[in-house]
Amino acid sequence: MLIFDLILATRRPEMTGVERYGVNLFEAVRKVRPDTIAFVRDTTPFSDERGLVMVDDVYRGWLSLPQNIHRRGLAPDAVVFPTAPASPLFHLSDVHLCRIAHDAFPWSWERPMPWKGRLLYRYVENLMARRYDNLLGTTQPVAEDLRALFRRADIGCCGNAPGLDVGGPAMRPGGAPDDFILVVGTVEPRKDYDRLIDLVQKAPKDAPPIVLVGRPGWGEVVERIDQLAMGNPSRFLWLRDLEDDGLRWLYRHASCFLSLSLAEGFNMPLVESGVSGRAIVCSDIPIHRWVAPSWAAFIRQDDNAERIWTALQTATQPERAQVEVYRQKYSWDSVAARLLDLVASHRMAERRFRAC
């Protein structure tokens, strides 16, 4: 039996890519291991309720998960944390813990964070880092960053895949223009929305508007993006809380997808745009070189607004065959199989060590 901690991942209806990751991975593992359990706050994101255990209170449920597992008499092979750190109370338990990290941000980001994020993704994450039996990255670059940070050679990679089924039902969001450039991501400093603001303000007269999909995150950039949306309605549209059918429509109709991000662990919206067959322009960072499709155009940190607009207006539209090849790279079944293999291998190594 495996247990997934998805309490914080299911605390609100609009989910980030990381939260979608946890839900999709649980669904894929459950197909192989039907006895898999997930502790959740809301059952809505799942295809059915098999193996789901509801908690009444988000943060109390997350903190007391070790006691909840013990109280129910559960003896899991491992508890998996695909979206958030484990409760510090797991230090009082000897259960096997597997943390999946999407980037090295919690351990390396030095800029200010809101207090909840700082508490969870800095203090708790640091407190629990050495307790994890398996510490995994979602991609090889993330795993390499984690190995360097913790000087642990046993940190592996379990993979990633699109969080959204881009082939599902679609509906045009209210106010969406016919021709537009799409940006998707929570509004926070890592996404480099300062450059996006500059891009909107310096847009050529014939440039299409930019549509941003992403809930407000943290940092003063949130207020600046809000002011940009109010002051430039014909050039910039911010859709804060968009349901999946609206996002699918945007993926299918955007003239180009843009990501200016400074740091990513995978960049799920970029991959979803690639799977949808969009032209892509993205920042030249290592993870984008790893996950972006072959037709993507890369921009440097010192490229000005004029150069970025040129890249957007000349971006390559992929051939259908290119898109099909790209789609084959990412599968939730392969991620689930890799996770199960890594957990089983680590537990076998532990048993051998204890037998010596």
Side-chain angles (χ1 to χ4, degrees), residues 121 144 181 187 247:
Y121 295 103
E144 290 167 8
I181 292 162
V187 179
L247 183 54

Side-chain angles (χ1 to χ4, degrees), residues 56 174 216:
D56 294 328

Side-chain angles (χ1 to χ4, degrees), residues 13-74:
E14 293 78 23
M15 306 183 78
T16 65
V18 171
E19 292 160 351
R20 290 179 188 274
Y21 180 97
V23 171
N24 289 332
L25 182 55
F26 166 75
E27 297 261 23
V29 170
R30 185 174 58 174
K31 288 195 300 183
V32 182
R33 299 275 297 268
D35 62 344
T36 301
I37 291 173
F39 283 80
V40 303
R41 180 64 185 90
D42 180 18
T43 62
T44 304
F46 301 88
S47 59
D48 59 65
E49 297 188 7
R50 290 177 297 118
L52 301 183
V53 179
M54 286 277 291
V55 301
D56 294 328
D57 181 270
V58 173
Y59 291 102
R60 186 181 299 121
W62 166 78
L63 184 64
S64 63
L65 182 58
Q67 293 96 321
N68 203 342
I69 291 171
H70 178 74
R71 188 167 57 250
R72 292 171 181 270
L74 301 174

Side-chain angles (χ1 to χ4, degrees), residues 257 266-267 269-282 287-298 316 318-319 322-327 329-330:
F257 176 84
F266 182 65
N267 201 332
L270 186 153
V271 175
E272 290 166 351
S273 294
V275 170
S276 301
R278 296 305 93 203
I280 290 174
V281 174
C282 58
I287 193 61
H288 286 170
R289 288 286 180 179
W290 184 270
V291 305
S294 59
W295 61 87
F298 295 90
T316 302
E319 300 291 335
Q322 290 178 292
V323 178
E324 286 304 318
V325 169
Y326 186 65
R327 284 175 179 164
K329 291 181 64 177
Y330 302 104

Side-chain angles (χ1 to χ4, degrees), residues 1-310:
M1 173 199 298
L2 265 67
I3 292 177
F4 276 66
D5 177 3
L6 297 176
I7 297 170
L8 297 181
T10 55
R11 68 191 186 274
R12 50 197 166 201
E14 293 78 23
M15 306 183 78
T16 65
V18 171
E19 292 160 351
R20 290 179 188 274
Y21 180 97
V23 171
N24 289 332
L25 182 55
F26 166 75
E27 297 261 23
V29 170
R30 185 174 58 174
K31 288 195 300 183
V32 182
R33 299 275 297 268
D35 62 344
T36 301
I37 291 173
F39 283 80
V40 303
R41 180 64 185 90
D42 180 18
T43 62
T44 304
F46 301 88
S47 59
D48 59 65
E49 297 188 7
R50 290 177 297 118
L52 301 183
V53 179
M54 286 277 291
V55 301
D56 294 328
D57 181 270
V58 173
Y59 291 102
R60 186 181 299 121
W62 166 78
L63 184 64
S64 63
L65 182 58
Q67 293 96 321
N68 203 342
I69 291 171
H70 178 74
R71 188 167 57 250
R72 292 171 181 270
L74 301 174
D77 295 326
V79 183
V80 182
F81 305 89
T83 60
S87 163
L89 298 182
F90 274 104
H91 272 294
L92 305 176
S93 166
D94 62 356
V95 67
H96 187 102
L97 305 185
C98 175
R99 173 73 169 111
I100 302 173
H102 296 255
D103 52 41
F105 158 70
W107 298 280
S108 60
W109 190 254
E110 296 179 354
R111 292 171 66 174
M113 298 170 62
W115 72 268
K116 280 187 180 179
R118 191 165 60 251
L119 177 62
L120 271 176
Y121 295 103
R122 182 157 297 168
Y123 302 131
V124 173
E125 198 78 278
N126 283 331
L127 177 64
M128 297 304 297
R130 298 290 176 180
R131 170 63 181 85
Y132 299 130
D133 300 279
N134 284 103
L135 179 56
L136 307 175
T138 52
T139 61
Q140 287 293 353
V142 173
E144 290 167 8
D145 287 344
L146 294 173
R147 289 181 205 126
L149 277 167
F150 294 106
R151 298 181 181 179
R152 282 180 58 172
D154 65 336
I155 297 176
C157 164
C158 61
N160 208 330
L164 180 70
D165 175 11
V166 297
M171 180 179 294
R172 183 173 187 159
D178 293 327
D179 181 27
F180 60 93
I181 292 162
L182 179 62
V183 177
V184 180
T186 303
V187 179
E188 48 106 329
R190 284 184 300 162
K191 305 298 183 180
D192 202 7
Y193 286 140
D194 287 333
R195 292 182 84 190
L196 181 66
I197 293 169
D198 184 58
L199 199 64
V200 172
Q201 292 173 338
K202 296 178 180 177
K205 290 184 179 180
D206 60 345
I210 292 176
V211 175
L212 168 63
V213 178
R215 68 187 183 209
W218 53 280
E220 58 86 22
V221 71
V222 175
E223 183 178 351
R224 295 185 63 206
I225 287 289
D226 190 40
Q227 291 172 349
L228 183 72
M230 290 188 295
N232 300 269
S234 64
R235 294 206 173 272
F236 182 71
L237 174 65
W238 182 17
L239 301 175
R240 293 165 174 79
D241 298 313
L242 187 66
E243 295 187 357
D244 289 354
D245 55 357
L247 183 54
R248 290 189 188 98
W249 189 93
L250 294 172
Y251 277 144
R252 294 175 190 174
H253 292 86
S255 61
C256 186
F257 176 84
L258 172 66
S259 175
L260 299 167
S261 188
L262 298 169
E264 293 284 350
F266 182 65
N267 201 332
M268 201 169 278
L270 186 153
V271 175
E272 290 166 351
S273 294
V275 170
S276 301
R278 296 305 93 203
I280 290 174
V281 174
C282 58
S283 53
D284 195 354
I285 57 176
I287 193 61
H288 286 170
R289 288 286 180 179
W290 184 270
V291 305
S294 59
W295 61 87
F298 295 90
I299 52 175
R300 302 188 306 270
Q301 186 62 33
D302 60 353
D303 282 342
N304 58 24
E306 182 180 356
R307 289 180 180 176
I308 297 173
W309 274 115
T310 298

